[in-house]
Amino acid sequence: MLSPTDPAPDRKSIPQVDFDLDDLDADEEKYLDFYRKVAVHEDMLVPLAEHHDGPHSYYVLFDRTATSGHPGMPQVLAVHLQRDHEKRTFSFEHAPLPLPAMAQSWLIHRGCPPDAIALAPLGPPPADEATRALERRLAGDGDHYAMGYSYTSDDPDDMVIVVALRALDERAPSPCRVVVEEVDTETWTHTLREGGFDTLGEALQWCDDRLTGQAGPLPPVRPAAAANRQASLPKAPAPRPPGRSR
C-alpha cells in the first residue's frame, strides 16, 4: 500500500502515467467515458506496472485520490486499453481493486503475459517470503475467486487492507478467504496473509473485527489434499490435528 501523501520516503519523484490517446478521439462518447471513469485524476495515478503489446496496453495504477472522499475504497486501478489507429478510436476496460496482485490477475486474465506486468519498487516492499508467495499466487489464480468485500484504511497508525473472497468452485477447501495486507511504517515493509472460512458471513465478521482492532488470529486455510482425502474416504475421517479447534 502506498500513502496518499508520501508514497515512499526514498523515492525522488513520482512517475506519471501516459495513456497515449491524443490522436484517438474520433469516438467522442468513448473518449468522454474514459475520462470520467479513468483519466479524470490522471495526474494522481501512479503507474505500478504497465505493459504495451501492439494495440494493447495494460496498467496497474495507484490512485492517490481514492480514499480522500470515500473511506475504504480500493486504491488500485487496473486498466486495459485496446487502440484502433485506423479508426482513430479505442476501447477500454477498468476495475478498481484493493491489491496490486489482484490487478495483475485481472490483467493477466485479459491477455497480458504474466511475466510482463511485474510491479515497480515504489511502495513498501514485501517483508518476507510468505508475502511474496501469496502475492504470486493471487496474481496467478485470482480469477478463481470473486471479491465479496474490501476495505482500504490509510490511517498512518494502522495501514491495512482487508479483502473477503469467495471461491467460484464451491467444492474448494475453505471456500471463503480473507486476505490481509498490513504496512509496518517503521520498517516500511508490508505483509500479506490469508485465512480460510466456511461462510462469507464469517469472513466478513473477521474483516469487521480487524478494522475495529478486535480480531483474533486468521484461521488457517484447509489444505486441498486434506479435503480430497475426506471426500474419498468418508468412513475413515482423519483425526483432528493437535492444537487446532477448527
Side-chain angles (χ1 to χ4, degrees):
M1 186 196 305
L2 302 180
S3 165
T5 56
D6 188 13
D10 59 348
R11 192 162 73 253
K12 295 180 180 179
S13 62
I14 299 175
Q16 295 182 335
V17 63
D18 181 4
F19 293 117
D20 191 22
L21 299 175
D22 291 344
D23 299 324
L24 302 178
D25 55 0
D27 187 334
E28 184 177 355
E29 184 176 347
K30 177 68 69 175
Y31 198 90
L32 290 175
D33 188 38
F34 179 76
Y35 177 80
R36 295 188 191 102
K37 293 179 178 177
V38 176
V40 61
H41 299 301
E42 184 172 346
D43 59 335
M44 298 295 285
L45 297 175
V46 180
L48 302 179
E50 57 184 287
H51 173 66
H52 308 282
D53 182 9
H56 295 271
S57 287
Y58 306 88
Y59 302 87
V60 178
L61 305 169
F62 175 73
D63 184 357
R64 293 188 290 158
T65 71
T67 60
S68 59
H70 301 280
M73 295 296 291
Q75 292 179 312
V76 179
L77 187 66
V79 179
H80 173 211
L81 289 176
Q82 185 171 2
R83 302 173 183 83
D84 188 329
H85 289 281
E86 290 187 3
K87 297 181 179 179
R88 292 184 50 246
T89 187
F90 65 95
S91 59
F92 74 97
E93 297 178 272
H94 75 293
L97 294 161
L99 296 170
M102 296 176 68
Q104 289 173 302
S105 174
W106 188 90
L107 294 170
I108 292 168
H109 194 56
R110 283 155 180 79
C112 183
D115 58 354
I117 200 70
L119 298 175
L122 297 179
D128 50 31
E129 180 55 33
T131 296
R132 287 186 285 268
L134 181 51
E135 288 175 338
R136 288 193 297 267
R137 187 161 60 78
L138 282 177
D141 65 6
D143 58 312
H144 297 173
Y145 295 88
M147 186 172 68
Y149 167 81
S150 78
Y151 192 97
T152 297
S153 171
D154 52 15
D155 181 348
D157 295 325
D158 187 21
M159 296 177 68
V160 61
I161 300 172
V162 293
V163 185
L165 302 169
R166 177 178 53 81
L168 299 181
D169 182 355
E170 296 181 354
R171 300 168 298 176
S174 298
C176 297
R177 310 284 178 93
V178 167
V179 179
V180 184
E181 179 184 284
E182 297 175 324
V183 173
D184 185 329
T185 55
E186 293 186 2
T187 62
W188 197 244
T189 60
H190 74 273
T191 57
L192 193 66
R193 296 293 185 264
E194 179 185 41
F197 297 83
D198 292 327
T199 69
L200 187 58
E202 292 174 328
L204 293 174
Q205 183 61 57
W206 193 96
C207 290
D208 185 63
D209 290 344
R210 172 60 185 84
L211 293 171
T212 57
Q214 303 175 27
L218 277 169
V221 174
R222 191 162 59 243
N228 291 338
R229 285 197 301 269
Q230 290 174 3
S232 61
L233 299 172
K235 295 182 180 180
R240 178 181 300 174
R244 287 181 54 183
S245 59
R246 293 181 65 82

